[in-house]
Amino acid sequence: ETLVQTKEKLKQAESEQTNTLNLLKTSMDSDAAMRATLDSRNKAIASLQDQNAELETKLAAKEEESVQIRRRLCVEADSKVIELMHKNRELNDAILANNF
């Protein structure tokens, strides 16, 4: 081989090495970008899970409040029914007393 051929082969090998290094850098940059995207998505998922837990807690509190309100309304309605039954009985008694 001549010196010129050896230099040419060396240049070609250097060029191939540069291309390989550039591909490796591009691959590493792409990998880093994917990791950053994955980290960002994981943070978003964690945040949404926290929000869901908070909303579930609020919903449970509202459901309990709703149960308490329904119970109170039932007690109030029962009391009103009893009151009206007594009033009805008094009125029926008065009607019967006036008929005789």
Side-chain angles (χ1 to χ4, degrees):
E1 273 185 23
T2 66
L3 186 58
V4 172
Q5 288 174 329
T6 304
K7 283 183 178 181
E8 189 60 38
K9 285 182 181 179
L10 182 59
K11 265 188 183 179
Q12 188 177 3
E14 286 176 351
S15 176
E16 288 174 5
Q17 185 179 18
T18 300
N19 288 341
T20 301
L21 288 173
N22 286 338
L23 285 173
L24 181 59
K25 183 183 180 317
T26 301
S27 177
M28 289 172 65
D29 290 346
S30 176
D31 186 52
M34 284 190 284
R35 273 192 231 145
T37 299
L38 184 58
D39 287 346
S40 174
R41 287 184 180 160
N42 285 339
K43 287 177 185 176
I45 288 169
S47 175
L48 288 171
Q49 287 172 333
D50 290 346
Q51 289 175 15
N52 283 348
E54 185 179 324
L55 289 172
E56 286 173 0
T57 300
K58 286 180 181 180
L59 178 60
K62 289 292 183 185
E63 287 173 345
E64 180 58 30
E65 182 182 344
S66 177
V67 166
Q68 295 301 325
I69 290 170
R70 283 195 302 274
R71 285 181 183 155
R72 182 179 49 84
L73 290 174
C74 285
V75 167
E76 289 174 6
D78 287 348
S79 295
K80 191 67 172 176
V81 166
I82 291 169
E83 178 187 322
L84 291 172
M85 287 173 64
H86 286 304
K87 185 70 172 172
N88 191 0
R89 186 171 299 143
E90 289 172 6
L91 292 172
N92 281 332
D93 290 347
I95 291 170
L96 288 175
N98 284 333
N99 284 341
F100 293 107

